[in-house]
């Protein structure tokens, strides 16, 4: 280990891998995935691996992939622009009602979440009739979407307008939290919903089709890439940029809904945006590092430039952190996006019970049933170990603890 506690894996016929994983477990399959990615010919300098690293689809979640001349659509993934938004309020813990169940119930009614599928049934995770403010946001997104569907008409029939301002499923959540000074924060996690999934899936398939004759030479077909100058490259950049913009506005719309419903339930008047953060952790963008203009794909990682604020959530029932970037260039100015899973969702369902979930979330007003066992805190890495491993990447500004959690 060097003084900064970075592990370095030297990859024959590839770029080095630098891991900020001191004291945090990383499975062998994830290491192999990282090595496969590091051997791609367009990787720039080295891969940077965050302490929440775990196995992903094609590329490892918790990795920063710098590239020159190509992008891997599956590394960006299908939840394009997934990320976090948080805002501190002027409320204190003592201003919250004694029972938090009415607040959770009101949030669940105000913001579509989850998913239902069935003939003749409306998906409960979408709007039946989007509110006027959501339609106004969609009107701003529509010109870009129209340009995309002119080339890819099948994307018109996706969940787009009706998913804007909705949460989704899985590890997406809405929380009311308290910081170390008992200030109330609102925080949520979501991305580009159905339309982002469709865009990501479209270009993953196109990359694989374009590379059909080369797929046999790739260690994983989900490492298929689109080269700069090829027919689909500029289209992908336009579409992924639009989806990232959609994701950011999706979070903003939900935060507006969350604030509005909280004003109805909490009797004390309050203001927000005392401190506010809105950040992606599944995305690609052009950046300059080590004097070169490159593409940086953060697959489960945050930008952590010097002074930049970010959000690192813990698991359901664990602490979360508002952080400030230290601008560590070796990590391409990045940090982790959360705690990181230690097991699959199916394994968590096999291993744990509702009683385990109840004990682990006793201090949180949240669902405690079989449908959320896969999100139990024990299915995730220790967030404190993750934070210690990246002490050269970020500094903690606020430590948050959940008191209300709504799961997708």
């Amino acid at each position: 280990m060097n003084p900064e506690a970075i592990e370095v894996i030297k990859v024959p016929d590839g770029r080095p891998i630098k891991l900020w994983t001191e004291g945090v477990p990383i499975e062998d399959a994830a290491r192999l995935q990282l090595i496969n990615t590091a051997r791609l010919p367009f990787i720039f300098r080295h891969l940077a691996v965050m302490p929440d690293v775990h196995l992903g689809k094609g590329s490892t979640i918790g990795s920063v992939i710098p590239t020159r001349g190509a992008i891997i659509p599956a590394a960006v993934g299908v939840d394009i622009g997934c990320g976090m938004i948080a805002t501190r309020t002027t409320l204190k813990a003592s201003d919250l009602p004694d029972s938090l169940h009415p607040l959770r119930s009101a949030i669940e009614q105000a913001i579509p979440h989850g998913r239902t599928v069935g003939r003749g049934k409306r998906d409960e995770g979408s709007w039946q009739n989007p509110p006027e403010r959501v339609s106004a946001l969609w009107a701003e997104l529509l010109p870009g979407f129209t340009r995309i569907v002119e080339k890819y008409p099948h994307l018109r029939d996706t969940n787009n307008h009706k998913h804007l301002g909705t949460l989704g499923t899985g590890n997406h959540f809405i929380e009311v939290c308290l910081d170390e000074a008992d200030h109330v924060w609102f925080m949520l996690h979501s991305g580009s919903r159905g339309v982002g999934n469709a865009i990501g899936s479209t270009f993953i398939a196109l990359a694989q089709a374009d590379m059909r004759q080369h797929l046999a030479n790739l260690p994983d077909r989900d490492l298929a890439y689109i080269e700069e100058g090829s027919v689909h490259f500029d289209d992908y950049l336009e579409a992924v940029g639009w989806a990232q913009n959609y994701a950011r506005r999706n979070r903003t719309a939900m935060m507006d809904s969350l604030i509005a419903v909280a004003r109805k339930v909490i009797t004390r008047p309050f203001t927000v945006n005392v401190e506010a953060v809105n950040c992606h952790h599944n995305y690609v963008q052009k950046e300059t590092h080590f004097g070169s203009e490159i593409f940086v794909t953060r697959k489960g990682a945050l930008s952590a430039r010097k002074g930049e604020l970010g959000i690192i959530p813990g698991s359901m029932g664990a602490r979360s952190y508002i952080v400030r970037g230290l601008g560590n260039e070796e990590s391409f100015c990045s940090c982790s996006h959360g705690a990181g899973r230690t097991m699959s969702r199916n394994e968590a369902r096999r291993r744990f019970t509702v009683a385990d979930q109840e004990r682990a979330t006793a201090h949180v007003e949240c669902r405690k049933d079989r449908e959320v066992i896969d999100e139990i805190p024990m299915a995730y890495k220790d967030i404190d170990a993750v934070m210690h491993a990246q002490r050269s990447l970020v500094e903690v500004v606020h430590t948050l603890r959940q008191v209300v959690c709504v799961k997708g």
Side-chain angles (χ1 to χ4, degrees):
M1 288 284 185
N2 62 24
E4 202 184 356
I6 306 172
E7 179 187 355
V8 180
I9 301 174
K10 296 192 183 301
V11 179
D13 304 318
R15 296 292 187 181
I17 304 169
K18 297 187 177 184
L19 304 95
W20 281 260
T21 53
E22 179 193 16
V24 181
I26 170 173
E27 69 262 57
D28 291 340
R31 286 181 180 270
L32 177 59
Q33 226 174 29
L34 290 166
I35 289 168
N36 288 340
T37 304
R39 286 188 170 134
L40 294 171
F42 47 84
I43 300 297
F44 175 76
R45 284 183 71 97
H46 62 267
L47 293 185
V49 181
M50 303 298 102
D52 58 342
V53 59
H54 57 286
L55 194 68
K57 184 177 173 65
S59 300
T60 317
I61 298 166
S63 59
V64 181
I65 306 170
T67 60
R68 197 152 49 178
I71 295 174
I72 310 164
V76 181
V78 294
D79 197 356
I80 299 167
C82 185
M84 301 285 304
I85 187 172
T87 185
R88 199 182 100 191
T89 76
T90 53
L91 293 168
K92 298 294 289 275
S94 57
D95 298 320
L96 295 175
D98 292 337
S99 172
L100 293 172
H101 180 74
L103 178 57
R104 173 167 75 94
S105 180
I107 295 168
E108 290 172 341
Q109 291 175 41
I111 301 175
H113 60 286
R115 183 169 181 255
T116 51
V117 179
R119 182 174 294 181
K121 290 183 180 179
R122 181 182 71 84
D123 176 10
E124 68 178 10
S126 67
W127 299 107
Q128 185 164 14
N129 296 298
E132 188 175 322
R133 56 184 175 75
V134 168
S135 294
L137 281 178
W138 176 246
E140 295 173 9
L141 289 162
L142 187 56
F145 186 62
T146 301
R147 287 193 299 273
I148 294 166
V149 299
E150 283 172 356
K151 295 182 180 179
Y152 302 93
H154 69 281
L155 294 173
R156 189 185 308 277
D157 297 324
T158 55
N159 270 316
N160 41 69
H161 183 181
K162 288 189 175 183
H163 266 188
L164 188 61
T166 70
L167 186 62
T169 60
N171 63 351
H172 293 165
F173 61 77
I174 300 166
E175 290 182 343
V176 180
C177 304
L178 303 176
D179 67 15
E180 65 286 339
D182 272 353
H183 290 114
V184 175
W185 289 69
F186 299 143
M187 182 167 78
L188 61 89
H189 171 213
S190 192
S192 52
R193 304 293 283 112
V195 66
N197 187 298
I199 288 170
S201 298
T202 293
F203 284 94
I204 290 169
L206 286 171
Q208 292 171 348
D210 289 349
M211 292 192 71
R212 187 167 287 118
Q213 62 186 10
H214 304 293
L215 279 181
N217 298 321
L218 285 175
D220 188 324
R221 64 184 284 109
D222 284 316
L223 289 176
Y225 51 88
I226 303 175
E227 290 186 288
E228 197 164 3
S230 68
V231 64
H232 293 125
F233 189 84
D234 288 343
D235 288 353
Y236 180 62
L237 277 187
E238 180 180 18
V240 82
W242 181 88
Q244 287 165 191
N245 187 21
Y246 179 105
R248 188 179 297 277
R249 289 169 185 257
N250 182 46
R251 290 191 291 272
T252 300
M254 275 189 286
M255 181 59 74
D256 289 344
S257 296
L258 177 56
I259 292 166
V261 75
R263 290 195 197 281
K264 294 178 181 177
V265 177
I266 300 169
T267 56
R268 186 178 183 86
F270 63 90
T271 58
V272 294
N273 297 327
V274 178
E275 289 180 80
V277 192
N278 191 348
C279 51
H280 300 318
H281 54 224
N282 282 352
Y283 68 113
V284 61
Q285 67 182 15
K286 190 174 282 188
E287 298 180 3
T288 300
H289 294 277
F290 300 101
S292 296
E293 192 173 64
I294 60 171
F295 291 101
V296 177
T297 297
R298 293 187 176 90
K299 185 180 180 73
L302 283 179
S303 177
R305 294 188 178 277
K306 189 170 182 61
E308 185 176 21
L309 290 176
I311 308 166
I312 302 178
S315 61
M316 189 178 184
R319 284 184 287 273
S320 297
Y321 295 91
I322 306 296
V323 297
R324 183 180 292 114
L326 297 177
N328 189 319
E329 189 60 41
E330 289 299 308
S331 72
F332 297 94
C333 298
S334 307
C335 68
S336 88
H337 82 309
R341 296 191 72 91
T342 58
M343 65 186 72
S344 70
R345 295 183 181 278
N346 286 335
E347 177 63 21
R349 292 187 192 103
R350 282 193 296 269
R351 188 177 299 188
F352 300 109
T353 66
V354 171
D356 294 326
Q357 175 78 348
E358 289 172 345
R359 283 191 294 270
T361 62
H363 58 296
V364 184
E365 171 57 50
C366 63
R367 287 172 54 197
K368 304 174 197 289
D369 55 60
R370 291 206 62 80
E371 297 303 312
V372 293
I373 286 177
D374 57 331
E375 283 293 304
I376 197 167
M378 292 83 84
Y380 285 83
K381 297 180 184 182
D382 179 354
I383 187 65
D384 294 322
V386 166
M387 296 306 296
H388 181 73
Q390 59 185 333
R391 59 196 180 277
S392 65
L393 307 181
V394 291
E395 60 182 355
V396 174
V397 180
H398 295 291
T399 303
L400 308 183
R401 63 191 190 278
Q402 306 102 321
V403 291
V404 176
C405 179
V406 172
K407 277 289 184 185

